[in-house]
């Protein structure tokens, strides 16, 4: 493997994010659109390269480029026609590239992308270690003590490269100039060396011992240079040697987290810290140049860069960008006046400043009944971006906040992996909570409310590339209204009053969407004080037309009051419904008994007569005149509206007699019920039944029961079966686990 882009090779850990279909094909001179991976030359004669492709090596007719996070996905971009040609068109494996040539590892064929010419490497050529000028270099070792043998190949023949010290190993070769290549090796003493290969003579010359921290050696006609770093102090420097003399100069580059990269163009030293393609997300400081003949301040060439390599014409090709000028591949070369000129030679179509490259991915409306998590993805042009997202519920002001410090990843709507061809996806996969990220059970977790939301995105470059990007918009969260949902968040709530008269709400989410049987506790919420004036509190569902669940409460004088839900867990000012309700010893509501889509209330008086109060949807007169629908109900001490529990569309009732036996009455949809069905015995231990609807989110209504001795609340999961509507085994919940409450609703 050609070791010219060491910093990018660290990106192999993220290479699997892009699926690449590789297939071998017949080689032809690149002249048809069938071989291209990008379109024809872009605006104003500038070649167009694919987004996220960066330059590897440069030739006289074009340059090799590859995905910055997967160096095995390569292309060759032609200066002549402005097209990029995928190497996967010709082979499934490429070991080395250089100039305009690459080696097909499958067939041991050397391919010239500029001319279409090809030739076969000799049968016993060893491993390819680099390309420089017209030569492909290979190495193999017959005698470990003697070291590796380096060979140079062209279509005309093969010869051995001389000048390597005995015991040299770990050889690599990369392009330099038309006359020289650069060879790296470790000598018999373990010292790391870089040197020049005279291509015409086939000999290694000018060998330099370099420290382990040094980046690759670079040279010009007059100088040799490399960069190194003191790990103890973090100080980086460039070492510059005058060729053929003992003159040595050190250029201080400042403190930095890793070794810089350097290149020489005439008497100019270029240095920079490239953006790294790994999860360390270490920012760079761009590319700059300083003249070695004076002490003038450095000249800023690029605001950021990712790779650079020597150009065949004596300059440098660098992938990066300038603020306000766009990004892509730039050529840095000497002008006629001896100064450096920087020219964009291949654009990737992206600005250098933080920007969106396509429309964001998000649902609107967000149906949290159908989707347990929802992706919010913005496609940004740089991976090293700090993205901050806030989702805010308009009515309550509650927020969900998410931050990512770089390297965006995400999935498409259908769940498949997304690549980065249209930008780096950054944003949360929201599971419908407020508070501490997406973590259920943390102290400030709340299930998200229905209704209108705003979203805000702030994206800031970790490398300081321009101002922050700010975007905003709106969306709506919807769920089907639930009969016991006071805060409009899709999960049933249970009300309880403590000894001081304070009313509390508690909710825990037991959802099959996050794993069967998994319960996520939500902290208890204080609603308000003064509820000791009531001797009966019952949840009715939405009887007053507000969408949100309501409560009726009876005071000790028998007056019934409506507390209309506000959808935030609280209630509006109470409204008097009527008097004389002291005649009832059992009241229950929340189920639609009449088939009109509104939940109704039924009440049994002390003589055992059952009465129906049909809901009207009016806040001032929530119930029609009562209607007698049965007698003999005095044998029961519990009466609970459960909604549909046995498969029919109408609301049902569950009762309990003095022996602790539970019975079911199926609603007919006209306000009356069928004959009773015996369910189970042994329910005398429970002081209160609550028909909380679909508590476990499996599509079937359930029953909650409060145990008198412990104050604990248990779940009896609905089955939907006609004769056995609940599972036999009870399931413990965390609802009001302290047990210090005296009234449940």
């Amino acid at each position: 493997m050609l070791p010219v882009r060491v910093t990018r090779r660290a990106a192999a850990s993220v290479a699997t994010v892009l699926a690449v279909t590789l297939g071998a094909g017949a080689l032809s001179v690149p002249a048809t659109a069938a071989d291209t991976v990008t379109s024809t030359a872009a605006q104003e004669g500038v070649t167009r390269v694919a987004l996220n492709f960066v330059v590897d090596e440069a030739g006289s007719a074009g340059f090799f480029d590859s995905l910055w996070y997967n160096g095995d996905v390569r292309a060759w971009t032609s200066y002549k026609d402005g097209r990029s040609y995928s190497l996967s068109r010709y082979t499934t494996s490429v070991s080395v590239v250089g100039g305009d040539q690459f080696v097909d590892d499958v067939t041991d064929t050397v391919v010239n992308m500029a001319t279409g010419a090809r030739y076969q490497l000799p049968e016993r050529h060893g491993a390819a270690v680099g390309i420089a000028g017209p030569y492909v270099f290979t190495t193999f070792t017959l005698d470990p003590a003697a070291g590796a043998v380096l060979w140079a190949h062209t279509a005309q023949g093969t010869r051995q490269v001389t000048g390597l010290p005995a015991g040299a190993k770990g050889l690599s070769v990369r392009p330099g100039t038309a006359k020289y290549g650069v060879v790296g090796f470790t000598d018999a003493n373990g010292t790391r060396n870089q040197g020049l290969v005279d291509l015409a003579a086939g000999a290694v010359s000018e060998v330099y011992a370099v420290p382990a921290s040094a980046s690759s050696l670079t040279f010009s006609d007059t100088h040799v240079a490399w960069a190194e770093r003191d790990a103890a102090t973090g100080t980086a420097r460039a070492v510059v040697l005058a060729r053929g003399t003992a003159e040595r100069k050190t250029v201080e580059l400042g403190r930095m987290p890793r070794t810089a990269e350097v290149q020489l163009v005439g008497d100019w030293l270029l240095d920079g810290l490239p953006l790294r393609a790994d999860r360390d997300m270490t920012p760079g400081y761009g590319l700059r140049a300083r003249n070695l003949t004076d002490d003038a301040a450095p000249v800023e060439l690029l605001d950021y860069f990712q790779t650079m390599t020597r150009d065949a014409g004596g300059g440098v090709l660098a992938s990066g960008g300038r603020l306000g000028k766009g990004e892509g591949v730039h050529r840095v070369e000497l002008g006629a006046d001896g100064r450096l000129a920087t020219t964009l030679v291949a654009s990737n179509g992206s600005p250098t400043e933080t920007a969106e490259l396509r429309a964001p991915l998000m649902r609107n409306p967000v149906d949290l009944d159908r989707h347990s998590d929802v992706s919010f993805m913005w496609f940004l042009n740089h991976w090293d971006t700090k993205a901050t997202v806030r989702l805010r519920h308009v009515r309550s002001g509650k927020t969900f906040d998410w931050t990512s410090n770089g390297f965006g990843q995400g999935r498409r709507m259908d769940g498949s992996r997304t690549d980065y061809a249209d930008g780096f996806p950054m944003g949360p996969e929201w599971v419908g909570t407020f508070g501490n990220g997406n973590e259920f059970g943390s102290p400030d977790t709340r299930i998200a409310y229905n209704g209108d939301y705003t979203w805000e995105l702030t994206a800031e470059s970790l490398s300081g590339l321009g101002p922050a990007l700010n975007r905003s918009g709106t969306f709506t969260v919807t769920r089907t209204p639930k009969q016991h949902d006071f805060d409009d968040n899709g999960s049933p709530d249970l009300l309880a009053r403590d000894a001081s008269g304070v009313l509390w709400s508690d909710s825990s989410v037991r959802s099959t969407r996050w794993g069967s049987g998994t319960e996520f506790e939500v902290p208890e919420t204080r609603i308000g004080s003064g509820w000791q004036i009531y001797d009966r509190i019952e949840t009715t569902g939405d009887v007053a037309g507000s969408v949100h669940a309501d409560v009726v409460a009876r005071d000790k004088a028998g007056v019934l009051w409506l507390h209309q839900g506000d959808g935030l867990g609280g209630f509006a000012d109470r409204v008097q419904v009527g008097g004389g309700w002291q005649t009832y010893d059992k009241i229950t509501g929340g189920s639609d008994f009449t088939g009109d889509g509104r939940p109704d209330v039924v009440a049994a008086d002390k003589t055992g007569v059952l009465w129906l109060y049909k809901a009207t949807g009016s806040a001032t007169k929530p119930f029609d005149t009562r209607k007698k629908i049965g007698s003999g109900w005095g044998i029961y001490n519990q009466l609970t509206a459960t909604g549909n529990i046995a498969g029919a569309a109408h609301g049902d009732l569950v009762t309990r007699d003095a022996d602790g036996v539970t019975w079911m009455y199926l609603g007919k949809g006209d306000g009356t019920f069928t004959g009773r069905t015996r369910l189970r015995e042994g329910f005398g231990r429970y002081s209160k039944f609550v028909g909380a609807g679909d508590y476990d989110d499996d599509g079937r209504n359930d029953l909650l029961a409060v145990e008198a001795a412990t104050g604990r609340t248990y779940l009896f999961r609905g089955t939907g079966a006609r004769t056995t509507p609940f599972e036999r085994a009870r399931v413990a919940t965390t609802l009001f686990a302290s047990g210090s409450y005296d009234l449940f609703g």
Side-chain angles (χ1 to χ4, degrees):
M1 188 68 71
L2 186 62
V4 296
R5 294 278 77 87
V6 175
T7 58
R8 290 180 54 250
R9 290 298 178 261
S13 63
V14 297
T16 56
V17 298
L18 182 61
V20 180
T21 302
L22 301 175
L27 176 67
S28 61
V29 177
T32 66
D35 292 335
T36 62
V37 294
T38 60
S39 60
T40 318
Q43 58 249 331
E44 300 178 1
V46 176
T47 298
R48 185 65 178 264
V49 292
L51 186 70
N52 302 322
F53 273 66
V54 293
V55 64
D56 279 335
E57 295 294 349
S60 59
F63 57 84
F64 287 96
D65 49 329
S66 62
L67 276 171
W68 66 270
Y69 51 85
N70 184 0
D72 295 329
V73 181
R74 284 192 168 110
W76 182 77
T77 299
S78 168
Y79 293 135
K80 181 179 179 180
D81 61 20
R83 294 190 176 106
S84 292
Y85 299 85
S86 172
L87 300 194
S88 66
R89 180 82 176 170
Y90 313 114
T91 179
T92 58
S93 179
V94 176
S95 59
V96 294
V97 299
D100 298 311
Q101 300 184 101
F102 73 87
V103 177
D104 179 351
D105 295 335
V106 177
T107 62
D108 290 334
T109 301
V110 180
V111 179
N112 189 307
M113 291 297 293
T115 65
R118 61 162 61 191
Y119 67 91
Q120 200 80 16
L121 289 173
E123 183 177 349
R124 297 190 63 189
H125 61 78
V129 294
I131 296 175
Y135 297 97
V136 174
F137 292 86
T138 65
T139 183
F140 63 87
T141 303
L142 292 177
D143 180 2
V149 179
L150 187 64
W151 299 91
H153 309 273
T154 66
Q156 288 70 43
T158 296
R159 65 176 174 176
Q160 183 177 346
V161 177
T162 62
L164 282 172
K169 58 184 178 181
L171 275 65
S172 65
V173 179
R174 58 187 176 86
T177 64
K179 185 177 180 180
Y180 291 98
V182 179
V183 60
F185 63 91
T186 302
D187 62 25
N189 298 320
T191 302
R192 184 183 175 199
N193 293 270
Q194 297 274 333
L196 305 186
V197 180
D198 187 317
L199 299 178
V204 175
S205 62
E206 299 186 42
V207 174
Y208 302 91
V210 296
S213 66
S215 62
S216 296
L217 175 141
T218 181
F219 66 97
S220 66
D221 290 339
T222 57
H223 293 87
V224 172
W226 64 82
E228 56 188 45
R229 177 177 175 272
D230 187 329
T233 63
T235 302
R237 66 188 66 86
V239 177
V240 183
L241 307 178
R243 294 178 63 181
T245 73
E247 180 184 339
R248 179 186 180 102
K249 181 177 181 178
T250 299
V251 179
E252 297 298 329
L253 303 179
R255 291 176 58 84
M256 57 185 62
R258 46 193 163 81
T259 306
E261 290 194 12
V262 294
Q263 284 286 355
L264 285 169
V265 179
D267 291 329
W268 290 84
L269 174 72
L270 279 61
D271 71 277
L273 196 64
L275 296 178
R276 290 186 61 150
D278 59 22
R279 291 182 180 273
D280 291 340
M281 295 170 289
T282 307
Y285 63 76
L287 185 63
R288 60 193 179 186
R290 67 192 82 210
N291 197 301
L292 295 173
T293 63
D294 59 40
D295 296 323
V299 177
E300 301 296 332
L301 302 177
L302 297 176
D303 292 298
Y304 93 99
F305 85 104
Q306 292 172 282
T307 61
M308 65 175 170
T309 187
R310 186 176 294 279
D311 180 51
V316 165
L317 287 188
S319 291
R322 291 185 290 176
L323 295 173
K325 302 293 184 181
E327 63 179 38
V329 178
H330 295 75
R331 177 179 287 117
V332 181
E333 57 189 343
L334 282 175
D337 58 359
R339 301 185 65 80
L340 292 179
T342 302
T343 306
L344 181 66
V345 296
S347 170
N348 65 15
S350 170
T352 299
E353 300 84 358
T354 303
E356 284 185 278
L357 296 186
R358 53 154 286 184
L361 180 153
M362 60 183 67
R363 297 182 185 275
N364 190 18
V366 174
D367 186 346
L368 290 179
D369 280 336
R370 295 181 57 195
H371 304 285
S372 59
D373 54 70
V374 182
S375 294
F376 288 81
M377 290 295 167
W378 291 265
F379 295 83
L380 307 180
N381 58 335
H382 293 143
W383 67 272
D384 62 321
T385 302
K386 177 183 179 181
T388 302
V389 175
R390 166 164 285 190
L391 311 180
R392 179 181 178 274
H393 184 240
V394 174
R395 205 153 38 89
S396 68
K398 291 189 177 296
T399 61
F400 167 84
D401 295 293
W402 176 91
T403 299
S404 174
N405 287 317
F407 202 81
Q409 294 191 68
R411 294 184 181 273
R412 297 193 188 279
M413 280 288 193
D414 61 5
S416 63
R417 209 43 151 158
T418 179
D419 58 41
Y420 301 129
D422 50 4
F424 298 100
M426 297 189 186
E429 290 190 359
W430 187 49
V431 299
T433 62
F434 299 127
N436 186 17
N438 279 357
E439 297 298 324
F440 282 103
S442 59
D444 58 349
T445 298
R446 293 290 187 276
I447 308 302
Y449 305 136
N450 294 329
D452 294 332
Y453 283 75
T454 61
W455 60 261
E456 296 176 357
L457 165 73
T458 301
E460 303 172 86
S461 169
L462 293 174
S463 298
L465 299 177
L469 173 73
N470 295 290
R471 294 288 185 267
S472 61
T474 62
F475 67 99
T476 302
V477 169
T478 63
R479 300 182 186 87
T480 302
K482 306 297 193 298
Q483 67 189 56
H484 254 263
D485 183 12
F486 301 109
D487 52 11
D488 197 25
N489 66 0
S491 61
D493 306 306
L494 195 62
L495 298 179
R497 184 183 63 194
D498 64 23
S500 65
V502 174
L503 191 68
W504 297 81
S505 173
D506 197 9
S507 174
S508 59
V509 181
R510 184 180 293 274
S511 176
T512 56
R513 293 180 294 172
W514 296 295
S516 179
T518 302
E519 183 176 33
F520 304 104
E521 183 179 3
V522 178
E524 297 172 14
T525 301
R526 186 181 191 274
I527 295 175
S529 60
W531 290 76
Q532 70 274 13
I533 64 174
Y534 300 121
D535 63 7
R536 193 85 182 193
I537 300 173
E538 291 294 334
T539 300
T540 63
D542 173 28
V543 297
S546 69
V547 178
H548 313 302
D550 306 321
V551 162
V552 293
R554 185 182 66 191
D555 64 24
K556 295 172 184 178
V559 177
L560 193 70
W561 300 87
L562 170 69
H563 290 264
Q564 192 172 4
D566 62 8
L568 296 175
F571 301 96
D573 293 340
R574 68 180 188 171
V575 175
Q576 183 174 333
V577 173
W581 283 72
Q582 69 273 16
T583 64
Y584 301 115
D585 58 0
K586 293 175 285 292
I587 303 171
T588 189
S591 295
D592 178 14
F593 300 121
T594 59
D596 63 356
R598 289 190 290 268
D600 308 301
V601 167
V602 293
D605 65 24
K606 295 175 182 178
T607 68
V609 176
L610 189 66
W611 300 88
L612 169 69
Y613 285 84
K614 182 180 178 180
T616 65
S618 168
T620 57
K621 188 179 184 300
F623 302 113
D624 271 345
T625 303
R626 69 177 187 171
K627 177 182 178 181
K628 181 179 178 180
I629 57 173
S631 59
W633 291 73
I635 63 173
Y636 302 118
N637 53 34
Q638 285 285 342
L639 180 65
T640 306
T642 60
N644 166 30
I645 59 172
H650 315 299
D652 306 321
L653 286 175
V654 169
T655 65
R656 184 188 64 190
D657 63 24
D659 296 325
V661 178
T662 54
W663 302 83
M664 177 177 64
Y665 288 82
L666 296 181
K668 296 180 180 180
D670 61 358
T672 64
F673 302 91
T674 64
R676 68 179 187 173
T677 299
R678 182 186 174 98
L679 296 182
R680 291 175 56 185
E681 69 286 336
F683 272 67
R685 71 177 72 177
Y686 301 108
S687 60
K688 176 70 176 178
F689 296 147
V690 180
D694 182 13
Y695 182 81
D696 59 359
D697 196 31
D698 66 351
R700 295 183 291 267
N701 287 332
D702 310 303
L703 182 70
L704 293 173
V706 182
E707 190 173 56
T710 64
R712 299 295 302 271
T713 303
Y714 292 89
L715 167 69
F716 289 90
R717 300 182 63 191
T719 66
R722 171 66 175 82
T723 57
T724 56
F726 302 112
E727 293 181 357
R728 291 198 63 83
R730 68 180 187 176
V731 179
T733 75
T734 59
L735 293 165
F736 293 115
S738 65
S740 58
Y741 302 93
D742 67 355
L743 185 65
F744 286 78

